[in-house]
Amino acid sequence: MRISVLGTGYLGATHAAALARWGHDVVGVDVDVRRIEQLADGVAPFHEPGFAELLREGVLSGRLAFSTDASAVDSADVHFLCVGTPQLDGGHAADLRALWAAVDALAPRLRHGALVVGKSTVPVGTAALVQERLEDLTAPGHGVEVAWNPEFLREGHAVEDSLRPDRLVLGVASDAAEARLREVYRQVLCDGVPAVRTDLQTAELAKASANVMLASRISVVNVLAEVCEAANADIERLTEILGLDSRIGPRYLSPGIGFGGGCLPKDLRAFSSRAAELGVETASQLLGAVDEVNVYQRQRAVDLARRLLDGRPRGRQVAVLGASFKADSDDVRDSPALAVATGIAALGACVHVYDPEAGHHLADRLDLEVRDSAESACERAELTLVLTEWAQFGALDPVALGRIVRRRVVVDGRLVLDPHRWTRAGWQVHALGRRDPDPQLDTRRRAG
Ligand code: UGA
C-alpha cells in the first residue's frame, strides 16, 4: 500500500519505518527541514535502540522516503496523523495546533475515498471533529473517512513496541475502514497480535486511559515507598510481593523520583481537563492527586540532597548521573532527573551532570556543568545522585568511584544500585523508599 505519515517525531518516524518493514511504500512528511534531511539520509535524529537500523533498511530499500513538501502525500491512500499534541502553554489541555495544521495541509491533497488515521494522543471527541473538518474542506461525495488507531510505544522500546505491539486498536466507523487497517497491519496480525475493533471515541480514550493507569500506578507505588520509609519496611520486597499477585503484575512498580517525559504527565493533565469539560469532576480529583504525588517525589529528592549536604548546599559539589526522563532515551522533556538537578543547582550547589545520551540537550544550560563520563561528573563530589535508570549506572564500580569522590554519599533515585555492594565499598546509600542509613539524619527528618 502507499501510505503517508504526517509528523516524524518518535512516534511518526518509528511508525513510518515499521510500515516500510512490512512492505508498504511510505513517505514521512514534516515541517522540520533538518529532521527530514537527517531521516532522508538514513540518520536517526534521536536515540532509540534499533531505530537507526530500521530507518536505514527502509531508506535503502527505496520503500521509505521523507519530505517537507505536502505534495509528497498525493499518491497515498492511507494517511497517518502522528504529530505532537503537547500540553497547552499555561493550561492543562492538549495543544492541537499541529494536528489541525496537518489536517488542513492534507485535505486538498486527499484522493477519493482516502483513509485518514489518527495516531496522536488527543482529547476524546477530536476524531469526530477531524472527520467534520475534512468533509468541510473536501468536495461533497469525496468519501474521505477518519479512523483512530492509537499507538502505545514507549521511548527506548519504540522499535520493538511498533513491530510487536501488545494489541492493535482499530477505531473505525465502517467495515471498509477496518478492512483497510487490517491490510496495513497484515504482517502484525499474521504474527498473532490481537486487534480490538471499536468506535472512534473509545479508541481515542484507550490511549489516554492506558497512560492514566500507568501514571496512577507509579504514584501509588511512590506513596507506598514513602510509607515503607516511615515504617522501616522494605519497598523492594513489597513490590516483589505485589507483583506476584497475578491481578497486579510486576511492571510499572518501580519507585523513585517519579514519571516524566513527553507523554505521561501531559496526558494525565489533558485527560482530567477533558473529563472536567465533560462534567466528570472525579477524574480531576483522582488524577490531580496522582500528579501532585508525582511532582512531590522530585521535591523529596531535592530535600534529601539538601539534608545530605548538612543543610548548606551553597558552593558544594554534587554529581548527578542521568538527565533523560528514562533509560535508553535522550529525551529530557519534563525529566524528573533534570528537575532534581535543577532544584539542587537552585540551592547554590555546583552540579555536574552526566547522561550517556542526553548531554547534548544541556549544552546551553548555565546552571549545570555537563560532563562526558560518570567518573568525570563524580570527581571531588560531596554527594552523588543516580537519577535515571541507565543500566550502566547499576554496573558502576563503587570501589573505583569511591576513590574519585570527596564524600562517599549516594542517593539512588531509581533503585538501580545494589546497596550492599555500595555499603561494603564504604558508601552511605540513601534512596527514596528506603529508611535512611544515617540514624541522625532520620531523627532530623522525623522532627520535621
Ligand atoms: C508512555 C507509555 O508507557 C506508552 O505506552 C505510550 O505510548 C507513551 O507514553 C506515549 O504516550 O506516547 P514513555 O513516555 O516512553 O511511554 O515512558 P514510560 O516507559 O511509560 O515511562 C514514563 C516515566 O515513568 C519514566 O520517567 C519512567 O522512569 C517512569 N517510571 C516507569 C517509573 O517511575 N516507575 C515505573 O515503574 C515505570
Side-chain angles (χ1 to χ4, degrees), residues 219 222-223 225-227 229 256-259 269 288-304 307 336 340 432 445:
S219 278
N222 281 332
V223 167
E226 201 180 351
V227 173
E229 208 174 303
I257 56 171
F259 59 82
R269 293 169 194 150
V290 168
D291 198 6
E292 251 174 58
V293 165
N294 187 53
V295 172
Y296 167 62
Q297 303 314 312
R298 303 172 185 195
Q299 190 54 47
R300 267 190 359 113
V302 174
D303 291 346
L304 176 58
R307 285 200 302 273
V340 173
L432 301 183
R445 170 183 298 175

Side-chain angles (χ1 to χ4, degrees), residues 370-425:
V370 182
R371 294 301 168 103
D372 58 9
S373 69
E375 290 72 18
S376 155
C378 290
E379 238 171 72
R380 306 182 62 72
E382 297 191 60
L383 172 65
T384 300
L385 296 100
V386 178
L387 299 180
T388 307
E389 60 275 29
W390 285 98
Q392 65 168 258
F393 296 155
L396 281 169
D397 176 0
V399 175
L401 216 58
R403 293 194 198 103
I404 294 173
V405 294
R406 188 178 287 162
R407 286 167 76 212
R408 285 180 232 165
V409 183
V410 66
V411 172
D412 184 359
R414 292 289 186 188
L415 298 196
V416 290
L417 305 181
D418 174 349
H420 304 295
R421 227 175 113 231
W422 282 68
T423 309
R424 271 201 309 276

Side-chain angles (χ1 to χ4, degrees), residues 213-224:
M213 291 285 288
L214 295 171
S216 305
R217 197 169 152 105
I218 297 168
S219 278
V220 168
V221 88
N222 281 332
V223 167
L224 296 179

Side-chain angles (χ1 to χ4, degrees), residues 257 320 322-324 332 335-343 353 362 365 368 387:
I257 56 171
V320 165
S324 58
V332 293
S335 163
L338 202 50
V340 173
T342 305
V353 183
L362 311 180
R365 293 286 302 249
L368 305 173
L387 299 180

Side-chain angles (χ1 to χ4, degrees), residues 72-299:
V73 309
D74 283 358
S75 59
D77 295 307
V78 176
H79 307 269
F80 281 94
L81 299 172
C82 294
V83 293
T85 51
Q87 190 175 321
L88 208 53
D89 268 348
H92 279 181
D95 180 349
L96 299 180
R97 277 175 297 180
L99 182 83
W100 294 123
V103 169
D104 290 353
L106 193 57
R109 321 214 71 98
L110 290 171
R111 288 151 74 119
H112 182 82
L115 184 65
V116 175
V117 189
K119 265 201 176 294
S120 307
T121 308
V122 292
V124 58
T126 305
L129 297 175
V130 172
Q131 177 76 51
E132 265 175 40
R133 183 119 156 196
L134 286 173
E135 280 167 14
D136 286 348
L137 294 174
T138 51
H142 190 280
V144 56
E145 180 163 1
V146 171
W148 220 261
N149 165 230
E151 180 62 61
F152 300 94
L153 63 79
R154 295 159 298 163
E155 288 181 27
H157 303 266
V159 170
E160 62 184 270
D161 286 352
S162 294
L163 294 177
R164 280 171 293 280
D166 286 349
R167 75 296 209 188
L168 287 174
V169 176
L170 311 179
V172 291
S174 74
D175 292 344
E178 180 187 358
R180 274 161 106 186
L181 278 179
R182 285 186 176 276
E183 182 58 23
V184 169
Y185 289 112
R186 190 154 47 104
Q187 177 70 54
V188 185
L189 292 167
C190 283
D191 292 345
V193 170
V196 180
R197 173 181 169 161
T198 184
D199 51 55
L200 296 174
Q201 56 276 25
T202 307
E204 290 168 305
L205 271 179
K207 172 58 191 284
S209 308
N211 279 357
V212 161
M213 291 285 288
L214 295 171
S216 305
R217 197 169 152 105
I218 297 168
S219 278
V220 168
V221 88
N222 281 332
V223 167
L224 296 179
E226 201 180 351
V227 173
C228 279
E229 208 174 303
N232 199 19
D234 183 339
I235 184 64
E236 281 154 298
R237 290 293 81 76
L238 180 64
T239 50
E240 185 185 341
I241 295 162
L242 291 174
L244 287 168
D245 185 321
S246 58
R247 295 165 304 172
I248 298 174
R251 295 170 76 188
Y252 280 78
L253 282 185
S254 302
I257 56 171
F259 59 82
C263 302
L264 258 50
K266 66 115 178 148
D267 288 354
L268 185 73
R269 293 169 194 150
F271 184 94
S272 90
S273 159
R274 181 70 182 125
E277 274 173 19
L278 294 167
V280 185
E281 294 300 333
T282 45
S284 49
Q285 287 164 14
L286 175 66
L287 304 181
V290 168
D291 198 6
E292 251 174 58
V293 165
N294 187 53
V295 172
Y296 167 62
Q297 303 314 312
R298 303 172 185 195
Q299 190 54 47

